[in-house]
Amino acid sequence: MKITVVGAGNVGAGVAQRIADKSLAREVVLIDVVEGIPQGKALDMYESSPVEGADVKITGSNDYEPSAKSDIVVITAGIARKPGMSRDDLQNTNAGIVKSVTEQVVKYSPDAILIIVSNPLDVMTYVAMKVSGHDRRRVIGMAGVLDTARFRSFIAEALHVSVEDVQAFVLGGHGDSMVPLVRFTSVGGIPVTELLPKKTIDEIVTRTRNGGIEIVNYLKSGSAYYAPSSSVTQMVQAIVQDKKRILPCSVWLQGEYKLNNVIVGVPVKLGAGGCEEIMQISLTDEEQAALAKSAAEVQVNIAKLKL
Ligand code: NAI
Ligand code: 2OP
């Protein structure tokens, strides 16, 4: 396995390091436009490998040639939010960046599976899909794993239980109207509604929706990267090890969940083939309406793109 991470900033460097530490690839290539940054970070990571016990070759570059024939490419290039900015405020700048990055990625690694991270996530996944010409199995956006991790950690905190025992998923676009599905949330198999009062669950849903901005308001100079890099790495692991994990990912929908021509988060089977299947579940009218609202917001932003 050869994995390239484009964007050697907070998320990209974290992803490269986690992939290397878990020995998920023989070779990791880190790419960025800023001279010296990917090279320096990659060398620093490589020097940690004797301590971590991971035999992974990690290199950094400002061009794409060293990334040739990658199996997976993670795209984190772009600008991040600062206080007062929404993810949508990043759209014009990041669309240009993701377009040019995808063109290079496809030129050097035509067979790679692409995992998109740059925001606004669902729209940038659309940009990568259009520019690459790949079908939806090979262009997958990361957001649902992160939003679900936030939801799960807040529930575990409220109940003083292990995070491992909290199962949940969040559907929809990676924005304020994402849809945490309380009905499918359980703790050790027990529905969360049996364990927490509605008021607490509602507060956790709201905190999950605002999970990104909560971190931005603390950091001020950028956005979250520890949980995002963990979330990307879980998706990479599912593909590398053909685990067939069921994870919420942003993919192109063609009639699934009564949605057409839009990218939003839905439960997906992730394995060696990328997005191998979209898992369909019946939603209540209220859940369906919330998902449709979230998807409509993504569609409005897709329509604003000039590719
Ligand atoms: P960052 O600013 O730390 O890193 C971004 C990197 O991209 C910088 O090193 C920059 O030089 C590089 N870059 C810019 N243009 C480039 C180009 N054309 N080619 C290659 N590299 C280029 O930002 P951070 O925190 O790493 O976030 C990256 C992106 O991921 C942002 O758009 C952010 O909003 C998004 N994000 C998305 C999440 C999600 O759940 N989908 C979670 C966290 C971040
Ligand atoms: C987040 O939710 C920045 O979208 C990113 O933290």
Side-chain angles (χ1 to χ4, degrees):
M1 272 280 160
K2 177 171 175 178
I3 300 178
T4 289
V5 181
V6 187
N10 285 330
V11 179
V15 169
Q17 184 186 15
R18 289 185 195 279
I19 289 172
D21 286 354
K22 286 178 184 266
S23 297
L24 293 177
R26 285 291 294 166
E27 193 176 347
V28 175
V29 181
L30 192 54
I31 294 179
D32 201 287
V33 278
V34 182
E35 273 182 39
I37 292 293
Q39 293 87 344
K41 290 191 180 183
L43 178 59
D44 192 10
M45 280 178 217
Y46 179 63
E47 288 166 358
S48 74
S49 61
V51 182
E52 296 298 330
D55 281 305
V56 180
K57 183 178 167 202
I58 313 172
T59 50
S61 173
N62 300 117
D63 64 72
Y64 287 76
E65 214 167 336
S67 75
K69 297 201 174 83
S70 290
D71 299 289
I72 298 175
V73 177
V74 179
I75 299 180
T76 75
I79 55 166
R81 287 202 278 180
K82 301 217 167 52
M85 291 171 86
S86 75
R87 294 183 185 90
D88 294 346
D89 292 333
L90 310 175
Q91 175 154 325
N92 286 341
T93 306
N94 285 355
I97 292 173
V98 171
K99 179 174 185 281
S100 69
V101 166
T102 306
E103 284 164 355
Q104 293 299 309
V105 165
V106 171
K107 181 172 163 200
Y108 286 94
S109 300
D111 299 326
I113 292 173
L114 312 184
I115 298 178
I116 315 305
V117 184
S118 314
N119 268 320
L121 186 273
D122 307 279
V123 183
M124 293 307 111
T125 305
Y126 175 85
V127 171
M129 192 187 75
K130 280 289 156 197
V131 173
S132 66
H134 295 346
D135 66 37
R136 71 176 178 195
R137 284 172 298 184
R138 288 207 284 143
V139 188
I140 309 161
M142 186 294 290
V145 177
L146 170 65
D147 297 329
T148 302
R150 287 178 173 149
F151 192 39
R152 291 172 62 196
S153 53
F154 300 151
I155 290 169
E157 190 181 37
L159 285 168
H160 306 287
V161 299
S162 167
V163 287
E164 281 184 281
D165 290 327
V166 182
Q167 291 299 325
F169 65 90
V170 177
L171 293 186
H174 185 50
D176 300 340
S177 59
M178 67 180 76
V179 189
L181 280 187
V182 175
R183 198 162 59 93
F184 294 97
T185 302
S186 61
V187 182
I190 306 164
V192 71
T193 45
E194 299 282 326
L195 301 171
L196 285 173
K198 183 173 182 311
K199 181 171 173 292
T200 308
I201 295 174
D202 288 346
E203 284 165 3
I204 288 175
V205 165
T206 302
R207 190 174 176 198
T208 301
R209 290 203 173 111
N210 296 326
I213 202 68
E214 186 177 359
I215 305 278
V216 170
N217 286 338
Y218 278 123
L219 298 181
K220 298 196 170 60
S221 57
S223 54
Y225 49 99
Y226 291 109
S229 56
S230 290
S231 304
V232 174
T233 307
Q234 186 175 61
M235 291 170 63
V236 167
Q237 184 167 21
I239 295 168
V240 168
Q241 297 176 346
D242 192 22
K243 285 176 86 82
K244 320 260 185 232
R245 292 216 52 184
I246 308 301
L247 298 173
C249 301
S250 289
V251 289
W252 181 239
L253 298 181
Q254 293 279 272
E256 297 84 3
Y257 290 90
K258 302 183 192 158
L259 297 172
N260 261 306
N261 301 335
V262 69
I263 289 185
V264 285
V266 292
V268 155
K269 189 196 283 180
L270 265 194
C275 165
E276 296 185 351
E277 191 181 340
I278 292 175
M279 313 305 288
Q280 299 234 47
I281 52 169
S282 313
L283 299 179
T284 63
D285 289 347
E286 196 184 343
E287 290 161 351
Q288 182 66 40
L291 180 61
K293 177 173 177 278
S294 180
E297 288 176 10
V298 175
Q299 237 150 2
V300 165
N301 286 330
I302 285 178
K304 287 183 197 155
L305 282 170
K306 294 180 195 73
L307 286 182

